Amino acid sequence: MPATKKHSTIRLILGDQLNPLHPWFDEQRDNVLYTLMEIRPENEYVTHHIQKITGIFAAMRRFAGHLESEGHHVHYFRITDPENLHQFGGNLEMLAKKHHAERIEIQEPDEYRLDEVLKRALEQTGLEWSATNSAHFYTDRSELADMFRNKKSFLMETFYRNMRKKHNVLMEPDGTPVTGRWNYDAENRNKLPKGHIPPPPLVFSHNTEAEYNDICKAQLPHFGEIKPKAFPWPLNRKEALEVLRHFLEYLLPHFGTFQDALSDEHPFVYHSRLSFAMNLKMIGPAEVVQATEEHWKAHPDSISLSQAEGFIRQILGWREYMRGIYWAKMPEFSQLNFFGHSRPLPDFYWTGDTPMRCVSKAIRQSLDYGYAHHIQRLMVTGNFALLAGSHPDEVDKWYLGIYVDAFDWVEITNTRGMSQFADGGIVGTKPYVSSGSYIHKMGDHCRNCRYNPKESIGPKACPFNSLYWHFLERHREKLENNPRMGMMYRVWDKMDGEKRMALLNQASDFIAAL
C-alpha cells in the first residue's frame, strides 16, 4: 500500500471562493493540499432552495476537477462521504494528521458567522494558520467604515463617487464624471412598453443528477423546484464569461431603461443574471465593470451611458457598499428591529398561493428559478413583508434561503436594511414602502389581478393600498419627522376621518386573515 503523500500546508476553499485566478493558483506547489467540503452545518443553518445547494455543490465539484487538471493536489469531502465529519475543524485535523501538515491557510470568509466559526475551528486544530484576501472585491472589509469615520450617515452616493474616482471608472482625465453626470437613476425607471419582448436569457442545461441525488440521500432540508438534468446556472468561469458576453451584447442596450420593470411574462427582463457566478467568485466585479465600460465605449450609437452607468452602479456602487455596511455593522446589524415587528411570514411565501398577482408571480418565480430581480425583492415581496409587520428575522431567513445568489454579506444588508428598514436608516434614508400604484406603474401584473390598484376599500381593493396607510399610522411616532415621509403624513391628515378609519379597518382585517 503506497504511503500517504506529505503536504505541509492545507488550503481550505469555501463554496463561495471558486476563483481560478486567485494568486494561490499562480504556481503548483507539491507541498500544498487544497480541500473543499460539503458539510451539513453550512447547508442547514437556514433552509435553502434546492437549486442553490445543487448549484454550489456542482460548481465546487467542477472547481476541484479544474484544480486537479492544473496539477494541484485536492481532497474533496462530498456530503455523503463516510469519512466526512461535517465539521471544518474535524476534517482539517483529520487531513493534517494524515498528510503531516504543519499549517492551514484560508481565504477570508465573507460572512461574519462563518468567519467566527472558522476562527474557532482553526484554533482547535492547534496548527499554525493564516488568512489571506479573497482577491475578489474592490474594497477590503474596513474601507467603507474608514471612509465614513466620524460621519453620522453612510451615503451610498458619496461612496459610489469615491469608488468611481479611485478606480477611474466612467471618468474624464480631469477627474470629472463622463458627461458631467454621476448618476442616471432617474432615467432608469420605465415599465416595458406593451408588446415589448426582451431577448431571452442565456441558460445552460447541466446534468446535476449526481449532486441532487447526494443532497436527497443526505436528507438536507430544501424547498423550491429543480430540473436536475437541465440545471440553468453557470458552473465555472468559462460559462460565467459567456453570460457576461451575452448580457453586454443583447441586454445592456436596454438594461438601465427597464431595470425596474415588472413583467407578467418576462421574469428576467434585461437583468444580467450574473450574481450567482459573481457571488461564488467565478468572475470578478472589476472585470465585469471594465468589460461593461469598454463595451459602451465601443458601441456609443446603440448603448447610451445611462444603460452602462446603471449597471456599473449596481456593482461598483451598491454591491461594494452593502458589503462595507455589513463589515462595519455586524454582528449588531443582524439583531436590529427598528419597528419591533413580530409577525411570521405568511405561508404563501413558500407556495406563491395568493390572489395578489404581483406577489404570487414574484414568489412563484423565486421558487421556480431561485431568482427574482431587485425590484421584485424590494418593492413586491419585501414591501409586503414590511407593510404586514413581519419579523425581520423571518424575512432574512426567507431571502437567504430562496435565492441562489444570496449570501449573508449581501442579503442581510439589503433585506434587514434597505427592504425592511429594520436598521432605522443606516442603509436607506426612508422605508421603501409603497401602495399598489407604484407596482401598477412599473408593470402589468395588475391587469390580471383579482384586486384593483385604484381601489383602497372594499373586496376588490388592492391590499397594498390600505396596508400602506396602516403602516404609516402605526409607526407615525418614528416616521413623521423623516423629511422624506412628511408629505404623505400631510396627505393622510387631510383625508376624511371616516375614510381613514375604513382604511385602517380594511388593513387590520387583512393582516388578521394572514
Side-chain angles (χ1 to χ4, degrees):
M1 187 173 179
T4 301
K5 189 172 183 63
K6 181 178 180 179
H7 299 290
S8 60
T9 299
I10 296 173
R11 287 177 171 172
L12 173 65
I13 301 171
L14 300 175
D16 64 346
Q17 295 177 342
L18 309 183
N19 175 13
L21 303 185
H22 191 276
W24 266 1
F25 313 120
D26 287 348
E27 58 180 332
Q28 297 176 16
R29 295 187 179 182
D30 206 41
N31 67 321
V32 172
L33 177 67
Y34 293 97
T35 183
L36 296 90
M37 306 180 191
E38 301 168 0
I39 60 176
R40 301 194 71 91
E42 290 306 299
N43 293 280
E44 294 180 334
Y45 64 94
V46 296
T47 302
H48 295 284
H49 196 294
I50 184 59
Q51 287 189 43
K52 183 179 184 181
I53 307 173
T54 302
I56 293 174
F57 282 10
M60 288 172 66
R61 293 180 185 187
R62 284 157 177 76
F63 189 71
H66 164 76
L67 292 182
E68 289 178 328
S69 71
E70 294 287 309
H72 299 288
H73 301 285
V74 179
H75 187 101
Y76 195 98
F77 290 94
R78 294 196 177 205
I79 195 73
T80 54
D81 286 347
E83 67 169 358
N84 189 345
L85 301 177
H86 296 285
Q87 300 172 355
F88 286 116
N91 285 344
L92 288 170
E93 282 188 72
M94 179 172 60
L95 284 183
K97 184 176 181 180
K98 182 177 179 180
H99 294 278
H100 309 287
E102 300 165 359
R103 61 179 285 108
I104 298 169
E105 296 177 357
I106 66 169
Q107 297 173 34
E108 288 179 335
D110 291 310
E111 296 191 10
Y112 181 88
R113 172 195 62 82
L114 190 49
D115 195 57
E116 294 295 303
V117 166
L118 271 180
K119 283 177 183 176
R120 291 193 296 269
L122 291 167
E123 287 167 1
Q124 288 170 6
T125 66
L127 296 172
E128 179 185 349
W129 69 274
S130 62
T132 189
N133 193 284
S134 65
H136 176 77
F137 295 95
Y138 278 98
T139 56
D140 60 34
R141 288 178 175 180
S142 63
E143 188 163 338
L144 180 137
D146 293 340
M147 184 183 299
F148 290 101
R149 192 176 302 280
N150 299 322
K151 298 289 195 301
K152 291 183 179 180
S153 59
F154 297 75
L155 289 178
M156 203 288 276
E157 185 66 19
T158 300
F159 173 81
Y160 173 54
R161 294 185 184 189
N162 284 339
M163 294 296 287
R164 288 265 297 273
K165 293 174 186 176
K166 179 178 179 179
H167 298 283
N168 194 31
V169 175
L170 298 177
M171 299 296 294
E172 299 286 7
D174 65 357
T176 60
V178 173
T179 74
R181 288 180 60 182
W182 289 101
N183 191 312
Y184 285 80
D185 186 47
E187 298 177 16
N188 296 343
R189 300 172 183 173
N190 296 288
K191 68 190 299 182
L192 293 179
K194 190 174 182 179
H196 182 97
I197 301 177
L202 175 62
V203 297
F204 300 91
S205 189
H206 296 291
N207 187 335
T208 57
E209 281 189 299
E211 291 82 6
Y212 175 73
N213 289 337
D214 281 352
I215 291 166
C216 293
K217 183 179 179 181
Q219 296 183 323
L220 293 180
H222 60 264
F223 65 109
E225 305 297 328
I226 190 172
K227 296 178 181 177
K229 293 183 179 180
F231 187 81
W233 298 96
L235 295 178
N236 58 37
R237 175 173 172 78
K238 176 178 177 292
E239 292 170 357
L241 291 170
E242 289 178 30
V243 175
L244 173 61
R245 286 191 291 268
H246 178 87
F247 168 72
L248 295 177
E249 183 171 355
Y250 297 106
L251 304 175
L252 180 61
H254 295 293
F255 168 79
T257 303
F258 300 122
Q259 66 174 303
D260 287 0
L262 298 167
S263 173
D264 238 25
E265 296 182 26
H266 308 291
F268 306 117
V269 203
Y270 283 90
H271 289 270
S272 71
R273 297 173 69 256
L274 272 168
S275 52
F276 175 71
M278 288 184 67
N279 291 354
L280 264 62
K281 302 185 179 61
M282 301 175 196
I283 187 170
E287 60 185 322
V288 172
V289 167
Q290 182 180 349
T292 303
E293 183 173 10
E294 290 175 352
H295 193 80
W296 163 70
K297 288 179 178 178
H299 301 84
D301 295 332
S302 59
I303 303 175
S304 66
L305 179 58
S306 65
Q307 317 300 330
E309 188 278 325
F311 184 64
I312 286 171
R313 182 170 8 101
Q314 286 194 356
I315 298 173
L316 178 63
W318 196 249
R319 186 172 185 263
E320 297 285 333
Y321 171 76
M322 284 299 190
R323 179 173 178 265
I325 292 287
Y326 181 84
W327 285 107
K329 296 297 182 180
M330 284 294 283
E332 294 80 11
F333 195 91
S334 65
Q335 303 300 316
L336 298 177
N337 188 357
F338 180 69
F339 294 119
H341 283 169
S342 59
R343 293 183 178 277
L345 272 180
D347 290 344
F348 59 69
Y349 272 73
W350 282 265
T351 65
D353 186 16
T354 170
M356 293 179 288
R357 189 166 181 85
C358 59
V359 177
S360 177
K361 292 291 285 190
I363 292 174
R364 193 63 252 171
Q365 173 187 322
S366 301
L367 292 168
D368 289 344
Y369 302 112
Y371 176 86
H373 68 68
H374 67 275
I375 293 300
Q376 292 173 301
R377 302 188 199 195
L378 177 65
M379 299 307 300
V380 180
T381 53
N383 184 18
F384 184 86
L386 178 54
L387 294 178
S390 301
H391 196 297
D393 283 357
E394 294 257 322
V395 185
D396 275 339
K397 289 176 183 177
W398 186 78
Y399 276 94
L400 185 58
I402 198 167
Y403 293 119
V404 296
D405 58 12
F407 293 86
D408 198 53
W409 64 269
V410 69
E411 179 277 322
I412 196 171
T413 41
N414 272 287
T415 301
R416 191 174 289 259
M418 189 179 190
S419 171
Q420 300 303 293
F421 204 73
D423 63 354
I426 295 172
V427 171
T429 54
K430 74 175 186 69
Y432 276 82
V433 289
S434 78
S435 64
S437 62
Y438 173 84
I439 297 169
H440 180 55
K441 175 185 175 183
M442 294 311 303
D444 57 3
H445 294 313
C446 301
R447 183 177 59 198
N448 297 310
C449 185
R450 173 196 295 183
Y451 301 112
N452 187 339
K454 296 181 180 179
E455 294 186 25
S456 299
I457 301 168
K460 290 189 175 296
C462 174
F464 279 94
N465 293 336
S466 60
L467 288 173
Y468 176 79
W469 294 114
H470 188 274
F471 171 84
L472 261 60
E473 177 62 20
R474 73 178 187 264
H475 294 304
R476 180 163 195 152
E477 184 178 340
K478 292 187 174 183
L479 294 177
E480 67 177 334
N481 293 324
N482 184 309
R484 298 187 65 191
M485 302 292 290
M487 184 182 75
M488 299 314 299
Y489 278 104
R490 289 193 291 274
V491 171
W492 175 246
D493 289 341
K494 292 178 181 178
M495 205 178 290
D496 176 77
E498 288 188 8
K499 183 177 181 180
R500 282 191 294 177
M501 185 58 64
L503 284 167
L504 294 177
N505 289 337
Q506 174 108 359
S508 295
D509 290 344
F510 184 85
I511 291 173
L514 290 175

